[in-house]
Amino acid sequence: MNQSLYDAVFCVDVGGQKIDPFAAATIDFGKVIGDMKLGGYEITSLHVAEFIVLHWLDDIRKNKTQLIHDTMDMDNRDDFCRQKYGLSWKDIDALDPTSDFEFDLKSGQVILFLAHDAQYKEDAYMKMFGQELNRFCQETGFLYTKLGEAI
């Protein structure tokens, strides 16, 4: 994609200044666009952001599912989870990243946040996936807002 087409599709004009929501992304943007084209997605800023976020949330869900599966038959699974993750097995099982997280595109910036109904799970998410969230935000340039404060 040439630069002028990229700017026309993705950049947002905010107060006379062009803002690129993917400027800080260190991910393989060409691969993302290629995968979206293969899937028949319309290429817009919102759809690209959604595609990136949903792939990350699916990876988090897979990690959680694997942990639940690995500890399912343990007699001491609750103790194991508390010692290793600081959460009970039931608290971990209650996490549902694909429906708990939401995102929006505001003023040329992609913002992640927990859905209103899931905000009480924020501490659990930070304990389980805080490092992955920070890494994701660094790789994409997206912001996560934690009850009013951005990280």
Side-chain angles (χ1 to χ4, degrees):
M1 177 180 293
N2 69 37
Q3 190 62 42
S4 60
L5 179 58
Y6 178 92
D7 289 346
V9 172
F10 297 114
C11 293
V12 176
D13 189 341
V14 177
Q17 180 181 353
K18 291 250 184 225
I19 298 177
D20 180 357
F22 308 109
T26 59
I27 59 173
D28 186 350
F29 197 74
K31 182 179 179 338
V32 170
I33 297 296
D35 288 349
M36 289 181 70
K37 284 181 181 178
L38 284 174
Y41 288 90
E42 181 183 2
I43 307 300
T44 66
S45 294
L46 190 61
H47 289 147
V48 170
E50 178 181 33
F51 192 82
I52 293 169
V53 169
L54 290 178
H55 275 264
W56 174 70
L57 291 174
D58 192 48
D59 289 343
I60 295 265
R61 184 194 51 78
K62 287 176 187 174
N63 292 340
K64 183 207 105 167
T65 301
Q66 186 62 49
L67 171 67
I68 294 298
H69 180 273
D70 291 347
T71 57
M72 183 73 70
D73 296 327
M74 292 176 103
D75 291 334
N76 63 342
R77 68 181 176 206
D78 204 48
D79 292 335
F80 172 82
C81 290
R82 283 184 197 280
Q83 288 176 358
K84 186 157 182 160
Y85 302 103
L87 297 167
S88 72
W89 189 86
K90 285 183 179 184
D91 287 343
I92 294 170
D93 190 37
L95 300 177
D96 186 8
T98 53
S99 65
D100 289 344
F101 279 89
E102 295 183 1
F103 77 98
D104 203 354
L105 192 60
K106 294 286 186 191
S107 300
Q109 181 66 51
V110 180
I111 301 168
L112 295 168
F113 52 94
L114 282 174
H116 180 72
D117 295 347
Q119 287 182 354
Y120 72 94
K121 299 178 187 177
E122 191 158 51
D123 287 339
Y125 273 111
M126 290 303 124
K127 286 180 183 178
M128 278 297 296
F129 303 115
Q131 289 179 335
E132 288 89 346
L133 176 61
N134 283 329
R135 184 172 36 255
F136 177 73
C137 288
Q138 288 174 347
E139 290 173 356
T140 59
F142 297 178
L143 290 177
Y144 173 74
T145 59
K146 179 181 178 181
L147 296 176
E149 58 185 80
I151 61 168

PDB file of all heavy atoms in Angstrom, residues 80-109:
ATOM      1  N   PHE A  80      -2.638 -24.548  44.076  1.00  0.00           N
ATOM      2  CA  PHE A  80      -1.643 -24.371  43.026  1.00  0.00           C
ATOM      3  C   PHE A  80      -1.834 -23.023  42.327  1.00  0.00           C
ATOM      4  O   PHE A  80      -0.879 -22.268  42.142  1.00  0.00           O
ATOM      5  CB  PHE A  80      -1.744 -25.514  42.002  1.00  0.00           C
ATOM      6  CG  PHE A  80      -0.884 -25.326  40.792  1.00  0.00           C
ATOM      7  CD1 PHE A  80       0.464 -25.653  40.831  1.00  0.00           C
ATOM      8  CD2 PHE A  80      -1.416 -24.813  39.613  1.00  0.00           C
ATOM      9  CE1 PHE A  80       1.272 -25.469  39.718  1.00  0.00           C
ATOM     10  CE2 PHE A  80      -0.623 -24.625  38.497  1.00  0.00           C
ATOM     11  CZ  PHE A  80       0.723 -24.958  38.547  1.00  0.00           C
ATOM     12  N   CYS A  81      -3.056 -22.709  41.955  1.00  0.00           N
ATOM     13  CA  CYS A  81      -3.347 -21.445  41.264  1.00  0.00           C
ATOM     14  C   CYS A  81      -3.093 -20.245  42.160  1.00  0.00           C
ATOM     15  O   CYS A  81      -2.577 -19.222  41.707  1.00  0.00           O
ATOM     16  CB  CYS A  81      -4.789 -21.436  40.745  1.00  0.00           C
ATOM     17  SG  CYS A  81      -5.051 -22.573  39.365  1.00  0.00           S
ATOM     18  N   ARG A  82      -3.440 -20.351  43.425  1.00  0.00           N
ATOM     19  CA  ARG A  82      -3.199 -19.242  44.356  1.00  0.00           C
ATOM     20  C   ARG A  82      -1.701 -18.984  44.519  1.00  0.00           C
ATOM     21  O   ARG A  82      -1.270 -17.829  44.570  1.00  0.00           O
ATOM     22  CB  ARG A  82      -3.834 -19.513  45.706  1.00  0.00           C
ATOM     23  CG  ARG A  82      -5.325 -19.309  45.727  1.00  0.00           C
ATOM     24  CD  ARG A  82      -5.882 -19.493  47.146  1.00  0.00           C
ATOM     25  NE  ARG A  82      -7.296 -19.685  47.149  1.00  0.00           N
ATOM     26  CZ  ARG A  82      -8.192 -18.705  47.045  1.00  0.00           C
ATOM     27  NH1 ARG A  82      -7.793 -17.467  46.920  1.00  0.00           N
ATOM     28  NH2 ARG A  82      -9.482 -18.975  47.057  1.00  0.00           N
ATOM     29  N   GLN A  83      -0.924 -20.061  44.617  1.00  0.00           N
ATOM     30  CA  GLN A  83       0.523 -19.896  44.794  1.00  0.00           C
ATOM     31  C   GLN A  83       1.185 -19.363  43.530  1.00  0.00           C
ATOM     32  O   GLN A  83       2.049 -18.499  43.594  1.00  0.00           O
ATOM     33  CB  GLN A  83       1.168 -21.225  45.189  1.00  0.00           C
ATOM     34  CG  GLN A  83       0.857 -21.646  46.598  1.00  0.00           C
ATOM     35  CD  GLN A  83       1.424 -23.014  46.935  1.00  0.00           C
ATOM     36  OE1 GLN A  83       2.023 -23.682  46.105  1.00  0.00           O
ATOM     37  NE2 GLN A  83       1.220 -23.428  48.180  1.00  0.00           N
ATOM     38  N   LYS A  84       0.789 -19.889  42.385  1.00  0.00           N
ATOM     39  CA  LYS A  84       1.449 -19.519  41.126  1.00  0.00           C
ATOM     40  C   LYS A  84       0.925 -18.200  40.546  1.00  0.00           C
ATOM     41  O   LYS A  84       1.698 -17.422  39.982  1.00  0.00           O
ATOM     42  CB  LYS A  84       1.280 -20.627  40.102  1.00  0.00           C
ATOM     43  CG  LYS A  84       2.052 -20.375  38.840  1.00  0.00           C
ATOM     44  CD  LYS A  84       2.356 -21.616  38.091  1.00  0.00           C
ATOM     45  CE  LYS A  84       3.167 -21.237  36.867  1.00  0.00           C
ATOM     46  NZ  LYS A  84       3.893 -22.275  36.303  1.00  0.00           N
ATOM     47  N   TYR A  85      -0.371 -17.933  40.668  1.00  0.00           N
ATOM     48  CA  TYR A  85      -0.969 -16.772  40.006  1.00  0.00           C
ATOM     49  C   TYR A  85      -1.606 -15.766  40.967  1.00  0.00           C
ATOM     50  O   TYR A  85      -2.022 -14.698  40.540  1.00  0.00           O
ATOM     51  CB  TYR A  85      -2.025 -17.229  38.993  1.00  0.00           C
ATOM     52  CG  TYR A  85      -1.460 -18.161  37.961  1.00  0.00           C
ATOM     53  CD1 TYR A  85      -1.695 -19.528  38.034  1.00  0.00           C
ATOM     54  CD2 TYR A  85      -0.669 -17.685  36.923  1.00  0.00           C
ATOM     55  CE1 TYR A  85      -1.160 -20.394  37.092  1.00  0.00           C
ATOM     56  CE2 TYR A  85      -0.125 -18.541  35.988  1.00  0.00           C
ATOM     57  CZ  TYR A  85      -0.377 -19.893  36.074  1.00  0.00           C
ATOM     58  OH  TYR A  85       0.162 -20.747  35.156  1.00  0.00           O
ATOM     59  N   GLY A  86      -1.746 -16.135  42.228  1.00  0.00           N
ATOM     60  CA  GLY A  86      -2.361 -15.231  43.183  1.00  0.00           C
ATOM     61  C   GLY A  86      -3.872 -15.162  43.070  1.00  0.00           C
ATOM     62  O   GLY A  86      -4.500 -14.247  43.588  1.00  0.00           O
ATOM     63  N   LEU A  87      -4.462 -16.140  42.368  1.00  0.00           N
ATOM     64  CA  LEU A  87      -5.908 -16.191  42.164  1.00  0.00           C
ATOM     65  C   LEU A  87      -6.403 -17.611  42.380  1.00  0.00           C
ATOM     66  O   LEU A  87      -5.662 -18.568  42.156  1.00  0.00           O
ATOM     67  CB  LEU A  87      -6.267 -15.786  40.729  1.00  0.00           C
ATOM     68  CG  LEU A  87      -5.920 -14.377  40.297  1.00  0.00           C
ATOM     69  CD1 LEU A  87      -6.043 -14.250  38.793  1.00  0.00           C
ATOM     70  CD2 LEU A  87      -6.821 -13.379  40.990  1.00  0.00           C
ATOM     71  N   SER A  88      -7.650 -17.743  42.771  1.00  0.00           N
ATOM     72  CA  SER A  88      -8.223 -19.077  42.892  1.00  0.00           C
ATOM     73  C   SER A  88      -8.496 -19.643  41.502  1.00  0.00           C
ATOM     74  O   SER A  88      -8.601 -18.904  40.523  1.00  0.00           O
ATOM     75  CB  SER A  88      -9.525 -19.036  43.706  1.00  0.00           C
ATOM     76  OG  SER A  88     -10.547 -18.432  42.945  1.00  0.00           O
ATOM     77  N   TRP A  89      -8.657 -20.946  41.430  1.00  0.00           N
ATOM     78  CA  TRP A  89      -8.963 -21.616  40.169  1.00  0.00           C
ATOM     79  C   TRP A  89     -10.277 -21.082  39.604  1.00  0.00           C
ATOM     80  O   TRP A  89     -10.389 -20.827  38.411  1.00  0.00           O
ATOM     81  CB  TRP A  89      -9.039 -23.123  40.406  1.00  0.00           C
ATOM     82  CG  TRP A  89      -9.133 -23.939  39.165  1.00  0.00           C
ATOM     83  CD1 TRP A  89      -8.108 -24.393  38.400  1.00  0.00           C
ATOM     84  CD2 TRP A  89     -10.336 -24.414  38.548  1.00  0.00           C
ATOM     85  NE1 TRP A  89      -8.596 -25.115  37.342  1.00  0.00           N
ATOM     86  CE2 TRP A  89      -9.963 -25.144  37.407  1.00  0.00           C
ATOM     87  CE3 TRP A  89     -11.690 -24.298  38.837  1.00  0.00           C
ATOM     88  CZ2 TRP A  89     -10.887 -25.750  36.567  1.00  0.00           C
ATOM     89  CZ3 TRP A  89     -12.610 -24.894  38.001  1.00  0.00           C
ATOM     90  CH2 TRP A  89     -12.217 -25.616  36.880  1.00  0.00           C
ATOM     91  N   LYS A  90     -11.267 -20.876  40.469  1.00  0.00           N
ATOM     92  CA  LYS A  90     -12.565 -20.364  40.019  1.00  0.00           C
ATOM     93  C   LYS A  90     -12.454 -18.943  39.482  1.00  0.00           C
ATOM     94  O   LYS A  90     -13.125 -18.592  38.511  1.00  0.00           O
ATOM     95  CB  LYS A  90     -13.592 -20.413  41.151  1.00  0.00           C
ATOM     96  CG  LYS A  90     -14.103 -21.802  41.438  1.00  0.00           C
ATOM     97  CD  LYS A  90     -15.170 -21.770  42.506  1.00  0.00           C
ATOM     98  CE  LYS A  90     -15.701 -23.166  42.764  1.00  0.00           C
ATOM     99  NZ  LYS A  90     -16.794 -23.174  43.725  1.00  0.00           N
ATOM    100  N   ASP A  91     -11.608 -18.111  40.118  1.00  0.00           N
ATOM    101  CA  ASP A  91     -11.407 -16.750  39.622  1.00  0.00           C
ATOM    102  C   ASP A  91     -10.781 -16.763  38.230  1.00  0.00           C
ATOM    103  O   ASP A  91     -11.162 -15.977  37.360  1.00  0.00           O
ATOM    104  CB  ASP A  91     -10.526 -15.940  40.570  1.00  0.00           C
ATOM    105  CG  ASP A  91     -11.240 -15.548  41.848  1.00  0.00           C
ATOM    106  OD1 ASP A  91     -12.488 -15.607  41.883  1.00  0.00           O
ATOM    107  OD2 ASP A  91     -10.548 -15.186  42.821  1.00  0.00           O
ATOM    108  N   ILE A  92      -9.829 -17.655  38.025  1.00  0.00           N
ATOM    109  CA  ILE A  92      -9.199 -17.779  36.709  1.00  0.00           C
ATOM    110  C   ILE A  92     -10.215 -18.290  35.696  1.00  0.00           C
ATOM    111  O   ILE A  92     -10.307 -17.773  34.580  1.00  0.00           O
ATOM    112  CB  ILE A  92      -7.963 -18.702  36.779  1.00  0.00           C
ATOM    113  CG1 ILE A  92      -6.877 -18.057  37.645  1.00  0.00           C
ATOM    114  CG2 ILE A  92      -7.431 -19.012  35.374  1.00  0.00           C
ATOM    115  CD1 ILE A  92      -5.712 -18.954  37.982  1.00  0.00           C
ATOM    116  N   ASP A  93     -10.985 -19.277  36.087  1.00  0.00           N
ATOM    117  CA  ASP A  93     -11.985 -19.845  35.184  1.00  0.00           C
ATOM    118  C   ASP A  93     -13.038 -18.804  34.789  1.00  0.00           C
ATOM    119  O   ASP A  93     -13.577 -18.845  33.686  1.00  0.00           O
ATOM    120  CB  ASP A  93     -12.655 -21.056  35.847  1.00  0.00           C
ATOM    121  CG  ASP A  93     -13.536 -21.840  34.896  1.00  0.00           C
ATOM    122  OD1 ASP A  93     -13.167 -21.972  33.710  1.00  0.00           O
ATOM    123  OD2 ASP A  93     -14.595 -22.324  35.329  1.00  0.00           O
ATOM    124  N   ALA A  94     -13.300 -17.838  35.659  1.00  0.00           N
ATOM    125  CA  ALA A  94     -14.324 -16.824  35.393  1.00  0.00           C
ATOM    126  C   ALA A  94     -13.871 -15.761  34.391  1.00  0.00           C
ATOM    127  O   ALA A  94     -14.698 -15.007  33.881  1.00  0.00           O
ATOM    128  CB  ALA A  94     -14.744 -16.146  36.696  1.00  0.00           C
ATOM    129  N   LEU A  95     -12.582 -15.700  34.114  1.00  0.00           N
ATOM    130  CA  LEU A  95     -12.080 -14.714  33.153  1.00  0.00           C
ATOM    131  C   LEU A  95     -12.493 -15.114  31.738  1.00  0.00           C
ATOM    132  O   LEU A  95     -12.319 -16.257  31.329  1.00  0.00           O
ATOM    133  CB  LEU A  95     -10.556 -14.609  33.243  1.00  0.00           C
ATOM    134  CG  LEU A  95      -9.992 -14.173  34.596  1.00  0.00           C
ATOM    135  CD1 LEU A  95      -8.470 -14.187  34.555  1.00  0.00           C
ATOM    136  CD2 LEU A  95     -10.517 -12.815  35.006  1.00  0.00           C
ATOM    137  N   ASP A  96     -13.036 -14.173  31.000  1.00  0.00           N
ATOM    138  CA  ASP A  96     -13.461 -14.418  29.621  1.00  0.00           C
ATOM    139  C   ASP A  96     -12.982 -13.248  28.754  1.00  0.00           C
ATOM    140  O   ASP A  96     -13.750 -12.341  28.445  1.00  0.00           O
ATOM    141  CB  ASP A  96     -14.978 -14.565  29.544  1.00  0.00           C
ATOM    142  CG  ASP A  96     -15.457 -14.962  28.170  1.00  0.00           C
ATOM    143  OD1 ASP A  96     -14.617 -15.279  27.299  1.00  0.00           O
ATOM    144  OD2 ASP A  96     -16.681 -14.943  27.954  1.00  0.00           O
ATOM    145  N   PRO A  97     -11.699 -13.276  28.379  1.00  0.00           N
ATOM    146  CA  PRO A  97     -11.117 -12.121  27.687  1.00  0.00           C
ATOM    147  C   PRO A  97     -11.865 -11.701  26.431  1.00  0.00           C
ATOM    148  O   PRO A  97     -12.005 -10.497  26.178  1.00  0.00           O
ATOM    149  CB  PRO A  97      -9.703 -12.586  27.325  1.00  0.00           C
ATOM    150  CG  PRO A  97      -9.426 -13.743  28.199  1.00  0.00           C
ATOM    151  CD  PRO A  97     -10.735 -14.349  28.567  1.00  0.00           C
ATOM    152  N   THR A  98     -12.369 -12.641  25.658  1.00  0.00           N
ATOM    153  CA  THR A  98     -12.997 -12.270  24.393  1.00  0.00           C
ATOM    154  C   THR A  98     -14.304 -11.499  24.578  1.00  0.00           C
ATOM    155  O   THR A  98     -14.735 -10.815  23.656  1.00  0.00           O
ATOM    156  CB  THR A  98     -13.221 -13.500  23.490  1.00  0.00           C
ATOM    157  OG1 THR A  98     -13.917 -14.498  24.210  1.00  0.00           O
ATOM    158  CG2 THR A  98     -11.908 -14.065  23.003  1.00  0.00           C
ATOM    159  N   SER A  99     -14.910 -11.584  25.747  1.00  0.00           N
ATOM    160  CA  SER A  99     -16.114 -10.777  25.960  1.00  0.00           C
ATOM    161  C   SER A  99     -15.917  -9.701  27.027  1.00  0.00           C
ATOM    162  O   SER A  99     -16.698  -8.747  27.077  1.00  0.00           O
ATOM    163  CB  SER A  99     -17.306 -11.672  26.341  1.00  0.00           C
ATOM    164  OG  SER A  99     -17.085 -12.298  27.570  1.00  0.00           O
ATOM    165  N   ASP A 100     -14.872  -9.818  27.856  1.00  0.00           N
ATOM    166  CA  ASP A 100     -14.646  -8.837  28.913  1.00  0.00           C
ATOM    167  C   ASP A 100     -13.960  -7.569  28.412  1.00  0.00           C
ATOM    168  O   ASP A 100     -14.156  -6.489  28.964  1.00  0.00           O
ATOM    169  CB  ASP A 100     -13.812  -9.435  30.045  1.00  0.00           C
ATOM    170  CG  ASP A 100     -14.577 -10.454  30.874  1.00  0.00           C
ATOM    171  OD1 ASP A 100     -15.821 -10.495  30.781  1.00  0.00           O
ATOM    172  OD2 ASP A 100     -13.930 -11.213  31.622  1.00  0.00           O
ATOM    173  N   PHE A 101     -13.138  -7.687  27.382  1.00  0.00           N
ATOM    174  CA  PHE A 101     -12.410  -6.527  26.866  1.00  0.00           C
ATOM    175  C   PHE A 101     -13.178  -5.883  25.716  1.00  0.00           C
ATOM    176  O   PHE A 101     -13.811  -6.562  24.920  1.00  0.00           O
ATOM    177  CB  PHE A 101     -11.013  -6.928  26.360  1.00  0.00           C
ATOM    178  CG  PHE A 101     -10.000  -7.071  27.451  1.00  0.00           C
ATOM    179  CD1 PHE A 101      -9.824  -8.286  28.088  1.00  0.00           C
ATOM    180  CD2 PHE A 101      -9.219  -5.997  27.840  1.00  0.00           C
ATOM    181  CE1 PHE A 101      -8.895  -8.423  29.098  1.00  0.00           C
ATOM    182  CE2 PHE A 101      -8.288  -6.127  28.849  1.00  0.00           C
ATOM    183  CZ  PHE A 101      -8.114  -7.346  29.480  1.00  0.00           C
ATOM    184  N   GLU A 102     -13.069  -4.574  25.652  1.00  0.00           N
ATOM    185  CA  GLU A 102     -13.633  -3.799  24.555  1.00  0.00           C
ATOM    186  C   GLU A 102     -12.565  -2.830  24.076  1.00  0.00           C
ATOM    187  O   GLU A 102     -11.551  -2.625  24.750  1.00  0.00           O
ATOM    188  CB  GLU A 102     -14.874  -3.035  25.021  1.00  0.00           C
ATOM    189  CG  GLU A 102     -16.013  -3.929  25.432  1.00  0.00           C
ATOM    190  CD  GLU A 102     -17.270  -3.168  25.837  1.00  0.00           C
ATOM    191  OE1 GLU A 102     -17.271  -1.914  25.787  1.00  0.00           O
ATOM    192  OE2 GLU A 102     -18.243  -3.830  26.207  1.00  0.00           O
ATOM    193  N   PHE A 103     -12.790  -2.238  22.932  1.00  0.00           N
ATOM    194  CA  PHE A 103     -11.860  -1.239  22.415  1.00  0.00           C
ATOM    195  C   PHE A 103     -12.652  -0.173  21.667  1.00  0.00           C
ATOM    196  O   PHE A 103     -13.810  -0.370  21.312  1.00  0.00           O
ATOM    197  CB  PHE A 103     -10.815  -1.885  21.485  1.00  0.00           C
ATOM    198  CG  PHE A 103     -11.341  -2.202  20.130  1.00  0.00           C
ATOM    199  CD1 PHE A 103     -11.110  -1.343  19.074  1.00  0.00           C
ATOM    200  CD2 PHE A 103     -12.092  -3.340  19.909  1.00  0.00           C
ATOM    201  CE1 PHE A 103     -11.626  -1.620  17.820  1.00  0.00           C
ATOM    202  CE2 PHE A 103     -12.611  -3.626  18.661  1.00  0.00           C
ATOM    203  CZ  PHE A 103     -12.375  -2.765  17.606  1.00  0.00           C
ATOM    204  N   ASP A 104     -11.989   0.941  21.448  1.00  0.00           N
ATOM    205  CA  ASP A 104     -12.596   2.019  20.678  1.00  0.00           C
ATOM    206  C   ASP A 104     -11.478   2.787  19.989  1.00  0.00           C
ATOM    207  O   ASP A 104     -10.316   2.715  20.399  1.00  0.00           O
ATOM    208  CB  ASP A 104     -13.387   2.953  21.590  1.00  0.00           C
ATOM    209  CG  ASP A 104     -14.463   3.735  20.846  1.00  0.00           C
ATOM    210  OD1 ASP A 104     -14.529   3.653  19.609  1.00  0.00           O
ATOM    211  OD2 ASP A 104     -15.241   4.430  21.517  1.00  0.00           O
ATOM    212  N   LEU A 105     -11.817   3.497  18.960  1.00  0.00           N
ATOM    213  CA  LEU A 105     -10.872   4.320  18.217  1.00  0.00           C
ATOM    214  C   LEU A 105     -11.302   5.765  18.424  1.00  0.00           C
ATOM    215  O   LEU A 105     -12.347   6.185  17.929  1.00  0.00           O
ATOM    216  CB  LEU A 105     -10.923   3.928  16.742  1.00  0.00           C
ATOM    217  CG  LEU A 105      -9.853   4.446  15.809  1.00  0.00           C
ATOM    218  CD1 LEU A 105      -8.472   3.986  16.252  1.00  0.00           C
ATOM    219  CD2 LEU A 105     -10.109   3.947  14.402  1.00  0.00           C
ATOM    220  N   LYS A 106     -10.526   6.493  19.218  1.00  0.00           N
ATOM    221  CA  LYS A 106     -10.860   7.883  19.549  1.00  0.00           C
ATOM    222  C   LYS A 106      -9.684   8.784  19.207  1.00  0.00           C
ATOM    223  O   LYS A 106      -8.551   8.506  19.612  1.00  0.00           O
ATOM    224  CB  LYS A 106     -11.166   8.042  21.053  1.00  0.00           C
ATOM    225  CG  LYS A 106     -12.397   7.320  21.514  1.00  0.00           C
ATOM    226  CD  LYS A 106     -13.628   8.039  21.059  1.00  0.00           C
ATOM    227  CE  LYS A 106     -14.843   7.363  21.659  1.00  0.00           C
ATOM    228  NZ  LYS A 106     -16.065   7.794  21.111  1.00  0.00           N
ATOM    229  N   SER A 107      -9.947   9.833  18.467  1.00  0.00           N
ATOM    230  CA  SER A 107      -8.930  10.819  18.101  1.00  0.00           C
ATOM    231  C   SER A 107      -7.671  10.165  17.543  1.00  0.00           C
ATOM    232  O   SER A 107      -6.557  10.562  17.867  1.00  0.00           O
ATOM    233  CB  SER A 107      -8.575  11.699  19.305  1.00  0.00           C
ATOM    234  OG  SER A 107      -9.712  12.377  19.755  1.00  0.00           O
ATOM    235  N   GLY A 108      -7.848   9.130  16.743  1.00  0.00           N
ATOM    236  CA  GLY A 108      -6.721   8.473  16.103  1.00  0.00           C
ATOM    237  C   GLY A 108      -5.948   7.534  17.005  1.00  0.00           C
ATOM    238  O   GLY A 108      -4.853   7.112  16.657  1.00  0.00           O
ATOM    239  N   GLN A 109      -6.489   7.175  18.143  1.00  0.00           N
ATOM    240  CA  GLN A 109      -5.812   6.290  19.093  1.00  0.00           C
ATOM    241  C   GLN A 109      -6.720   5.114  19.422  1.00  0.00           C
ATOM    242  O   GLN A 109      -7.903   5.302  19.690  1.00  0.00           O
ATOM    243  CB  GLN A 109      -5.483   7.044  20.388  1.00  0.00           C
ATOM    244  CG  GLN A 109      -4.768   6.224  21.420  1.00  0.00           C
ATOM    245  CD  GLN A 109      -3.377   5.826  20.982  1.00  0.00           C
ATOM    246  OE1 GLN A 109      -2.581   6.663  20.558  1.00  0.00           O
ATOM    247  NE2 GLN A 109      -3.069   4.557  21.060  1.00  0.00           N
TER     248      GLN A 109
END
